[in-house]
Each structure stands twice: as structure tokens, then as C-alpha cells.
């Protein structure tokens, strides 16, 4: 009897530790069609809830126990690198009704997805999704070979009522960002050598002036540097959340 009680208490403690380890930061964005709750899972991984739908962006098993997270209606995958395309994470939260939006390269590993290319616009689960460019101009894997070649990966602009949320994916401050309009919330990556320095993120933000800017995928980069660079841009609110890993 004592052994059974001990095991029960041990399991409760372990469950409590698991739950505590998954106490993620959350913000709510109000829109004309209802609130969007953003859950900051870590690294480049986000979870959004809106109008009864749950959306995951670049789920990765290194930053969450997906067995403890809800099944989802929509998954967005920006590109094929292992910290963005994790088939184990996708399988853990996917159901037969889950829509998966991805690139054609990602579709080689994930069956039954909706392939979108840069410039494509689709309605998925009642949400307007635009695939936008995400690539490197400066940082190279080797001479002439960028970490993220043009046309291979996607960023995504999601429309919720009167608000647009931009997920940058792995990108630099590319010229196409000047074409982004009316972005309420932006997620821009900030780590070297794969994406941007704080100065590049600040430059990118000034191109399209999101109301709220979240740096993400920032590893050990000093986020205070970005805050300092944009402190004079009163129309851009920089919010720092735990997205280093």
C-alpha cells in the first residue's frame, strides 16, 4: 500500500514538473474578428489560437513535449531545416483534419500538405495565408551558397480580421519587405550566421513598420541591442519574449 502511494505521488510530481516545464509566455492580440493568443514555445516555434482554431508554426521537439500539447487545425512550415521541419513534432499534433502548409522541398518529407510558393495566397481553415520570400543575401554557407537560397523557403502573412501577423522564417532584411503593408505583428529572426544581426532586424522593421515587433530565433544574441536601435522609432513597439531556445 505504501509503495502504491509513493508511486502515485512520484507520478504526480513528475507530471507537475512536465507541466511546469511547459509554462510558456503568452500574449493576446485583439482583432475585429476576435482575439489571437500567441504562445511563445521557443526558438522559431509559435502556437496561435484564433476562433477555435489552433495553429502551430515550425513545431520542434527540442523546445516542447508535443504529447502534452493539443492537436492542431493548421501547421505552417517555413523551410526544411531540422529546427523548422521536425516530422516527429508534426506527427504528434497532426490529425486527418489538420492542414499543413509548406514548401515543395518540405513536401518531400511530409505527405498531404498544401504547397505554397513565394507570392501564393490561399484561404486555409478560413484564414488568409500569403507566402512571402525568405532568404539570405549576405550570409553564406560557402562562397556563393547562401544558408537560405531565394525561392526555397517561405515567410507567411496571416490575416485575422483587421490584423496581419507576419512570420519571417529564416531570412535577412530583403528588399521584398518593403512590399509588406499594414503588418500589426511581426516575427523577425535574429541570429548569426543564419539570419540577421540586430542592426539588420532594425533595418527590416523600418521597411514596413509593424505595430509590434518580436525578435525570435535569436539564440544568444543580445536583444537589448535591438531595443536600443529602435528606441527612437515610436511607431514600432519591440517586445522581447523567451524565444532563444
Amino acid at each position: 500500500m505504501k509503495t502504491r502511494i509513493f508511486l502515485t505521488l512520484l507520478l504526480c510530481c513528475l507530471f507537475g514538473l512536465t507541466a511546469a516545464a511547459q509554462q510558456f509566455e503568452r500574449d493576446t492580440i485583439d482583432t475585429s474578428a476576435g482575439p489571437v493568443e500567441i504562445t511563445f514555445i521557443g526558438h522559431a516555434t509559435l502556437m496561435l489560437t484564433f476562433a477555435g482554431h489552433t495553429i502551430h508554426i515550425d513545431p520542434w521537439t527540442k523546445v516542447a513535449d508535443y504529447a502534452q500539447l493539443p492537436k492542431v487545425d493548421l501547421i505552417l512550415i517555413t523551410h526544411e531545416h531540422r529546427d523548422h521541419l521536425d516530422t516527429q513534432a508534426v506527427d504528434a499534433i497532426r490529425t486527418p483534419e489538420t492542414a499543413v502548409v509548406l514548401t515543395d522541398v518540405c513536401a518531400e518529407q511530409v505527405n498531404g500538405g498544401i504547397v505554397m510558393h513565394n507570392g501564393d495566397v490561399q484561404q486555409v481553415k478560413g484564414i488568409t495565408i500569403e507566402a512571402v520570400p525568405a532568404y539570405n543575401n549576405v550570409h553564406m554557407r560557402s562562397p556563393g551558397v547562401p544558408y537560405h537560397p531565394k525561392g526555397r523557403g517561405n515567410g507567411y502573412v496571416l490575416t485575422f480580421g483587421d490584423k496581419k501577423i507576419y512570420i519571417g522564417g529564416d531570412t535577412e532584411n530583403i528588399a521584398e519587405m518593403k512590399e509588406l503593408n499594414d503588418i500589426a505583428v511581426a516575427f523577425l529572426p535574429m541570429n548569426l550566421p543564419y539570419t540577421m544581426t540586430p542592426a539588420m532586424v532594425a533595418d527590416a522593421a523600418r521597411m514596413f513598420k509593424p505595430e509590434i515587433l518580436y525578435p525570435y530565433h535569436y539564440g544568444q544574441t543580445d536583444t537589448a541591442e535591438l531595443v536600443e536601435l529602435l528606441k527612437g522609432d515610436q511607431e514600432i513597439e519591440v517586445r522581447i519574449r523567451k524565444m532563444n531556445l
Side-chain angles (χ1 to χ4, degrees):
M1 184 66 176
K2 289 182 179 179
T3 301
R4 184 178 296 176
I5 292 171
F6 173 77
L7 289 173
T8 301
L9 289 171
L10 179 60
L11 288 171
C12 288
C13 288
L14 289 173
F15 179 80
L17 288 172
T18 300
Q22 299 214 141
Q23 291 300 307
F24 305 114
E25 293 179 281
R26 291 177 173 84
D27 282 357
T28 299
I29 306 298
D30 291 324
T31 83
S32 62
V36 178
E37 184 178 76
I38 303 171
T39 301
F40 303 87
I41 304 293
H43 193 62
T45 302
L46 301 162
M47 181 171 73
L48 310 181
T49 55
F50 171 75
H53 291 314
T54 301
I55 304 160
H56 270 259
I57 297 153
D58 287 346
W60 189 26
T61 50
K62 188 170 181 177
V63 294
D65 178 1
Y66 283 89
Q68 302 292 328
L69 294 179
K71 300 296 184 181
V72 299
D73 302 286
L74 173 62
I75 300 171
L76 302 175
I77 302 173
T78 59
H79 64 291
E80 74 277 10
H81 291 167
R82 64 179 178 82
D83 53 332
H84 298 264
L85 172 57
D86 181 342
T87 56
Q88 182 182 346
V90 170
D91 290 344
I93 56 177
R94 189 179 187 183
T95 74
E97 289 73 42
T98 301
V100 182
V101 173
L102 37 59
T103 67
D104 50 5
V105 178
C106 294
E108 296 172 6
Q109 299 184 52
V110 179
N111 293 325
I114 300 168
V115 173
M116 293 185 69
H117 301 96
N118 296 171
D120 288 349
V121 180
Q122 290 206 39
Q123 283 267 341
V124 182
K125 300 290 183 177
I127 298 166
T128 301
I129 303 172
E130 179 183 1
V132 296
Y135 63 92
N136 294 101
N137 275 323
V138 176
H139 299 118
M140 301 287 158
R141 189 177 301 278
S142 59
V145 181
Y147 285 101
H148 304 93
K150 187 174 183 178
R152 192 176 179 94
N154 287 335
Y156 294 105
V157 177
L158 311 180
T159 300
F160 302 97
D162 60 343
K163 299 291 177 66
K164 294 181 182 179
I165 295 180
Y166 168 48
I167 312 295
D170 275 9
T171 188
E172 292 176 354
N173 48 332
I174 55 178
E176 290 90 340
M177 289 180 178
K178 295 176 183 176
E179 300 171 14
L180 296 170
N181 295 307
D182 302 320
I183 301 296
V185 178
F187 288 87
L188 291 175
M190 189 170 70
N191 69 321
L192 293 180
Y194 309 104
T195 61
M196 291 189 272
T197 65
M200 293 168 79
V201 172
D203 176 69
R206 291 183 183 118
M207 287 188 202
F208 61 93
K209 297 189 182 301
E211 296 172 22
I212 300 169
L213 169 63
Y214 293 102
Y216 81 145
H217 195 330
Y218 58 78
Q220 301 306 308
T221 307
D222 184 4
T223 56
E225 186 176 342
L226 176 65
V227 173
E228 179 66 20
L229 285 166
L230 288 173
K231 69 179 182 181
D233 294 80
Q234 299 299 318
E235 66 270 48
I236 302 172
E237 177 188 351
V238 181
R239 295 186 183 179
I240 307 300
R241 299 295 181 264
K242 189 177 180 181
M243 293 296 288
N244 52 334
L245 194 60

